[in-house]
């Protein structure tokens, strides 16, 4: 199971906003993750925490491209966490090899075609709307089956746009338009997502449903969850720390 290390080059991300907000600090943190054996570094320039407002295209690109350009020298696979086709293009040109789109192609009508043209791995997450109002859309009957159905629609759209099936990765979108009950149902039913036949990424690190008053207080629960997921057949976990999660998998 792969470890995707989170590198938020933002002032307002929920768990580490502002900690790595300069290029120098971000690169330093990324290299620490590389030293601990990270498999992929996921670079993001726009917070997707609940209630977050979007940043401009120019600001997002200005935040991430210098970091990606520098990290590309280290040879570790880099993912760009973006909902914009233009940012994805700039990032891949700078050295990224994966596009991690939390909207699954719904936020930017040009994203799927861009990912197809770039011929890189594309992570499609389950998404029901922008961060500022996604909590109002956390309404489900059977959350596992509804999320699977909505992801299947994104699979069809991606393949129709020309994305090669072997380049697709699915993410059930823990915490996105989902409350704690929904998140746990998805985690407990994760094998149903794996059975769709595509690699599955789970991003649950330090999220509110794990308990604790602050993100840092949820680290132990995040590590325990990685240990639980390590036998589920998923492709990877997206986490804030590397070494303890690798140890949990081992």
């Amino acid at each position: 199971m792969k470890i995707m290390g989170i590198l938020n080059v933002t002032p307002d991300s929920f768990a580490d906003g502002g900690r790595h907000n300069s290029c120098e600090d971000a690169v330093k943190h990324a290299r620490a993750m590389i030293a601990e054996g990270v498999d992929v570094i996921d670079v993001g320039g726009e917070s997707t925490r609940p209630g977050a407002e979007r940043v401009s295209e120019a600001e997002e690109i200005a935040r991430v491209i210098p970091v990606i350009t520098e990290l590309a020298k280290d040879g570790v696979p880099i993912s760009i966490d973006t909902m914009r086709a233009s940012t994805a293009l700039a990032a891949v040109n700078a050295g990224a090899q994966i596009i991690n789109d939390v909207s699954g192609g719904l936020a930017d009508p040009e994203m799927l075609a861009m990912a197809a043209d770039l011929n890189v791995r594309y992570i499609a997450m389950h998404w029901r709307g922008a961060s500022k109002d996604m909590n109002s859309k956390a309404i489900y009957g059977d959350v596992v089956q509804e999320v699977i159905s909505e992801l299947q629609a994104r699979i069809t759209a991606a393949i129709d746009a020309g994305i090669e099936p072997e380049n697709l990765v699915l993410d059930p979108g823990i915490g996105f338009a989902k409350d704690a009950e929904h998140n746990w149902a998805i985690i407990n039913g994760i094998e149903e997502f794996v059975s769709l036949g595509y690699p599955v990424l789970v991003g649950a690190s330090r999220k509110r449903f794990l308990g604790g008053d602050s993100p840092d207080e949820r680290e132990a629960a995040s590590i325990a969850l990685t240990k639980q997921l390590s036998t589920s057949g998923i492709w990877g976990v997206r986490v804030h720390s590397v070494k303890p999660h690798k140890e949990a998998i081992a």
Side-chain angles (χ1 to χ4, degrees):
M1 188 167 78
K2 295 189 180 297
I3 296 288
M4 176 181 278
I6 298 167
L7 187 62
N8 290 321
V9 193
T10 60
D12 59 342
S13 291
F14 82 96
D16 57 0
R19 293 186 186 178
H20 320 299
N21 202 24
S22 71
C23 180
E24 182 181 0
D25 288 343
V27 170
K28 182 179 179 180
H29 181 59
R31 287 181 173 152
M33 289 194 286
I34 292 169
E36 292 183 353
V38 75
D39 296 298
V40 180
I41 293 177
D42 191 39
V43 181
E46 179 175 39
S47 175
T48 53
R49 62 178 172 77
E53 294 289 340
R54 300 211 63 186
V55 301
S56 70
E57 172 187 341
E59 177 66 20
E60 183 185 24
I61 289 175
R63 289 175 177 179
V64 300
I65 297 307
V67 176
I68 293 170
T69 301
E70 186 63 27
L71 290 179
K73 301 173 185 177
D74 293 77
V76 66
I78 300 167
S79 169
I80 176 63
D81 179 1
T82 185
M83 295 184 280
R84 289 188 174 100
S86 56
T87 304
L89 174 61
V92 172
N93 286 339
Q97 298 131 299
I98 301 170
I99 299 169
N100 181 16
D101 179 3
V102 300
S103 80
L106 290 169
D108 185 340
E110 298 180 4
M111 177 62 95
L112 296 180
M114 178 64 73
D117 289 344
L118 293 170
N119 193 29
V120 294
R121 179 156 265 185
Y122 178 75
I123 302 172
M125 195 192 80
H126 175 262
W127 189 79
R128 282 188 166 181
S131 296
K132 64 180 181 180
D133 60 2
M134 66 180 175
N135 287 345
S136 67
K137 301 179 180 181
I139 301 169
Y140 302 89
D142 183 329
V143 64
V144 171
Q145 294 308 313
E146 288 177 49
V147 172
I148 285 174
S149 177
E150 290 169 34
L151 277 176
Q152 286 174 322
R154 304 322 302 153
I155 293 169
T156 299
I159 292 173
D160 286 350
I163 294 176
E164 298 293 338
E166 58 267 28
N167 280 339
L168 268 178
V169 178
L170 304 180
D171 182 339
I174 297 295
F176 287 79
K178 299 170 188 73
D179 62 23
E181 179 183 358
H182 301 140
N183 293 329
W184 285 117
I186 288 169
I187 287 166
N188 291 328
I190 199 67
E191 287 85 358
E192 294 189 54
F193 292 86
V194 174
S195 70
L196 295 174
Y198 295 90
V200 173
L201 174 69
V202 173
S205 179
R206 302 184 185 176
K207 290 186 175 176
R208 187 174 291 117
F209 79 103
L210 293 172
D213 294 328
S214 69
D216 288 344
E217 291 179 19
R218 302 171 193 139
E219 177 67 359
S222 300
I223 295 164
L225 184 55
T226 289
K227 183 176 180 180
Q228 175 183 327
L229 290 168
S230 66
T231 59
S232 68
I234 67 170
W235 172 77
V237 287
R238 183 178 181 272
V239 297
H240 290 87
S241 62
V242 174
K243 185 178 179 181
H245 289 270
K246 288 190 73 74
E247 290 174 348
I249 293 168

